[in-house]
């Protein structure tokens, strides 16, 4: 297992829409077996970055390597074979509206896995359990689900093929705080048990503090990457403002932790 | 590569299965193969140990879990060692034999029959509900339109013009083509027959009456139904799916006033004009063909037209245009409003919009024919 070489390496990425430049020679390394949090203001290009990695959008220039292979140069078939091992949760869920929840989750398995139909169905229920949904949901259609349920079903679908690399675009936005915390636990559990690498765009301070190994901040069309303490020491004004409110809270956490009943998580809240 | 090491403990008659390598979903056939080879005769206990597996994903764990359960049912004590304990929580919450409890029920004679009858009943009530909804939609839309016409401030003039542009102006090329082609067909077919009878000049009457009374307006309406009814349904359907309609309602705006009325008014303007255009072009084309192939000079053609064709022939056709326009706009917008959020229902209602629009247009045309006949128009 390559531990030193990055799993994904983005070099000098430039993305442009007309005259609007979204990424200006951006560099980012994603390491094996880490949980990387991506933060940035609305419209700073987080989703565009994910779309570039996923091959949904051709960058203006730059290179994206996965395990040493340049994704922008390999054949489409090879790229799609690589993507069988990737799971993606889109910002708006992107469930197939004409398929039931069960069929949505089973679709990737039907297409690409050697499992028998019965096993697919059982695993579909297991995935539903994993994302914290009742089994009755299986028969519903996406238009009958709440926003948070759509997120969870979309995650279940992303997990259908037991991926090694998971991309999450704002997974906990739209979830209540308890579900969001459960979601974080789920990600950590998958991460430890499956040797999973997770790339998550998030604004959830809890997620950033408790589960992310490193944080990448998209500011000024480029990346500032580091562990959370390193990032919080960065003098950039946007970063200071973003984490400013939380720093105070974070400092006060040790006081709380002396009380036995308090969970280990700092209770930092984002106030957008 | 995944593999399984089996260790037999003589004293306790137990087996230890040690998983090595990557155990993952894509290797499901191999998982089944490996586990079904495990010798279980005279074994009293099996321990499955995942310590040495470099990866064990949920699917693989589930397949192993199921095999172990089978052994347990055969009276063997089972034990999992170093399996991620979260996995078991997910496994235990499975709905109890959901997959097993769905065998086909023994079918009596009654049941299929009963199903058919109830299906028929469902179909009937469903179409009645649909019809009711369409009629009330029609009535409500008319009242909103009427209110708009009384208080022109409420009309969305830019929106009306936009739709006149897309449904009318942009349809001109295809209507031109349509008019010319249909004129060619009638003039040549009718002209050659009449020429054999030595009555070439009657071609003018034939063309003028059939185009002005019937074909001009009907074919234009069918073309517009195909273009615009589907477009209306798709536009409004997508807005419904995106909850844009709800957003309008919450903002205190009337979606009918904003989305439906401008489309109806636009078609009420566009369709008669397109019909007029089709009529004129078809007649012009007929005059040209007559000169070229039927030895009827343009002068003769025009004189004959003036003498034999009355204004009411033209009116009989063009009067139908506003009715057809209303039908097309209503079926399109109503179907759009019926979309329930799935891509499938969008497709279904877009198709239905066109089919219904064309059907009702033809039906109305038949009604007009009978009506004209009975009043001698
Ligand atoms: N397809 C597109 N065409 C034009 N501009 C786009 C497109 N997609 C995204 N953008 C622009 O790129 C910027 C970054 O968008 P996005 O990555 O979605 O932001 P966020 O960081 O909130 O996810 C925004 O200014 C957005 O308007
Ligand atoms: Mg985004």
């Amino acid at each position: 297992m390559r531990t030193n070489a990055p799993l994904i390496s983005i070099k000098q990425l430039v993305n442009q829409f007309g005259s609007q430049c979204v990424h200006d020679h951006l560099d980012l390394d994603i390491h094996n077996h880490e949980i990387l949090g991506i933060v940035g203001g609305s419209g700073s290009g987080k989703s565009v970055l994910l779309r570039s990695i996923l091959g949904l959008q051709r960058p203006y220039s730059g290179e994206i390597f996965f395990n040493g292979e340049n994704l922008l140069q390999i054949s489409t078939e090879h790229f799609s074979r690589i993507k069988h091992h990737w799971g993606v949760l889109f910002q708006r869920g992107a469930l197939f509206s004409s398929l039931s929840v069960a069929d949505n989750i089973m679709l990737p398995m039907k297409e690409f896995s050697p499992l028998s139909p019965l096993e697919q169905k059982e695993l579909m229920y297991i995935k539903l359990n994993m994302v914290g949904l009742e089994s009755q949901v299986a028969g519903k259609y996406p238009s009958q689900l709440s926003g948070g349920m759509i997120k969870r079903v979309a995650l279940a679908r992303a997990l259908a093929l037991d991926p090694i690399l998971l991309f999450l675009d704002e997974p906990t936005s739209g979830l209540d705080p308890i579900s969001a915390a459960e979601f974080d636990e789920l990600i950590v559990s998958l991460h430890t048990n499956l040797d999973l690498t997770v790339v998550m765009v998030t604004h959830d301070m809890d997620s950033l503090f408790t589960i992310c190994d490193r944080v990448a901040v998209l500011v000024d069309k480029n990346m500032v990457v580091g562990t959370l303490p390193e990032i919080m020491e960065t003098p950039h004004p946007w970063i200071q403002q973003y984490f400013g409110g939380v720093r105070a809270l974070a400092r006060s956490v040790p006081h709380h932790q002396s009380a036995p009943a308090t969970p280990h998580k700092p209770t930092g809240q984002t106030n957008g | 590569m995944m593999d399984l090491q089996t260790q037999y403990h003589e004293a306790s008659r137990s087996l230890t299965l040690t998983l090595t390598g990557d155990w993952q979903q894509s290797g499901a056939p191999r998982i089944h193969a490996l586990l079904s080879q495990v010798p279980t005769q005279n074994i009293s206990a099996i321990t499955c140990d995942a310590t040495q597996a470099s990866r064990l994903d949920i699917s693989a764990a589930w397949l192993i879990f199921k095999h172990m359960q089978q052994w347990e049912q055969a009276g063997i004590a089972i034990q999992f060692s170093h399996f991620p304990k979260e996995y078991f929580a997910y496994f235990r919450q499975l709905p109890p034999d959901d997959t097993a409890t769905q065998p086909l029920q023994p079918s009596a004679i009654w049941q299929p029959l009963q199903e058919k009858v109830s299906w028929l009943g469902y179909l009937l009530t469903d179409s009645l509900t649909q019809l009711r909804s369409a009629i009330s939609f029609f009535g409500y839309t008319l009242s909103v339109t009427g209110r708009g016409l009384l208080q022109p401030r409420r009309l969305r003039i830019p929106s009306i013009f936009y739709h006149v542009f897309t449904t009318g102006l942009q349809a001109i090329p295809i209507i031109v083509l349509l008019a010319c082609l249909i004129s060619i067909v009638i003039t040549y077919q009718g002209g050659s027959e009449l020429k054999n009878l030595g009555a070439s000049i009657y071609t003018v009457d034939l063309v003028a009456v059939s185009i002005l009374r019937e074909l001009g307006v009907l074919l234009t309406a069918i073309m517009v139904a195909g273009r615009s009814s589907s477009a209306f349904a798709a536009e409004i359907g997508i807005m419904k799916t995106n909850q844009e309609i709800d957003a309008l309602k919450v903002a205190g705006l009337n979606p009918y006033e904003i989305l439906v009325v401008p489309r109806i008014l636009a078609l009420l303007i566009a369709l008669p004009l397109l019909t007029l255009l089709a009529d004129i072009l078809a007649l012009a084309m007929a005059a040209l063909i007559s000169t070229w192939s039927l030895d009827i000079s343009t002068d003769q053609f025009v004189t004959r037209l003036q003498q034999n064709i009355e204004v009411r022939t033209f009116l009989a056709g063009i009067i139908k245009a506003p009715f057809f326009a209303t039908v097309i706009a209503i079926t399109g917008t109503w179907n759009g409003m019926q979309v329930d959020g799935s891509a499938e229902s969008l497709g279904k209602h877009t198709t239905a919009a066109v089919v219904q629009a064309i059907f009702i247009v033809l039906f109305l045309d038949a009604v007009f024919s009978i009506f004209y006949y009975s009043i001698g128009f």
Side-chain angles (χ1 to χ4, degrees), chain B residues 271-308:
Chain B
L271 191 60
L273 291 179
L274 286 175
T275 305
L276 190 64
L277 179 75
D279 285 355
I280 293 171
L281 276 169
L283 287 184
M285 193 72 193
L288 273 183
I289 297 170
S290 306
T291 324
W292 288 336
S293 315
L294 300 174
D295 303 323
I296 304 170
S297 75
T298 316
D299 271 351
Q300 274 178 299
F301 190 96
V302 173
T303 320
R304 179 86 194 171
L305 209 59
Q306 281 171 341
Q307 281 173 356
N308 279 29

Side-chain angles (χ1 to χ4, degrees), chain B residues 198-315:
Chain B
S200 287
I201 194 67
Y202 283 100
T203 312
V204 181
D205 302 58
L206 172 74
V207 173
V209 171
S210 56
I211 296 281
L212 293 182
R213 277 189 80 102
E214 208 43 60
L215 292 176
V217 64
L218 187 65
L219 290 174
T220 308
I222 287 177
M223 182 56 74
V224 170
R227 286 184 86 247
S228 304
S229 180
S230 53
F232 290 175
E235 288 161 4
I236 294 182
I238 286 280
M239 295 185 73
K240 188 102 189 288
T241 309
N242 286 346
Q243 291 189 312
E244 291 172 50
I245 308 267
D246 293 344
L248 284 175
K249 282 185 190 158
V250 170
L253 298 164
N254 185 340
Y256 292 82
E257 205 173 293
I258 293 177
L259 300 175
V260 179
V261 173
R263 286 176 167 81
I264 292 180
L265 293 180
L267 267 194
L268 280 174
I269 297 171
L271 191 60
L273 291 179
L274 286 175
T275 305
L276 190 64
L277 179 75
D279 285 355
I280 293 171
L281 276 169
L283 287 184
M285 193 72 193
L288 273 183
I289 297 170
S290 306
T291 324
W292 288 336
S293 315
L294 300 174
D295 303 323
I296 304 170
S297 75
T298 316
D299 271 351
Q300 274 178 299
F301 190 96
V302 173
T303 320
R304 179 86 194 171
L305 209 59
Q306 281 171 341
Q307 281 173 356
N308 279 29
I309 305 301
E310 302 166 55
V311 174
R312 68 170 198 196
T313 310
F314 167 71
L315 284 182

Side-chain angles (χ1 to χ4, degrees), chain A residues 97 119 122 129 160 162 194, chain B residues 25 32 59 62 66 87 90 343:
Chain A
S97 57
E119 288 161 356
E122 290 164 346
N129 276 339
D162 292 310
L194 300 182
Chain B
Q25 192 187 91
H32 286 306
S59 308
W62 169 245
K66 287 212 304 181
Y87 288 6
Y90 302 135

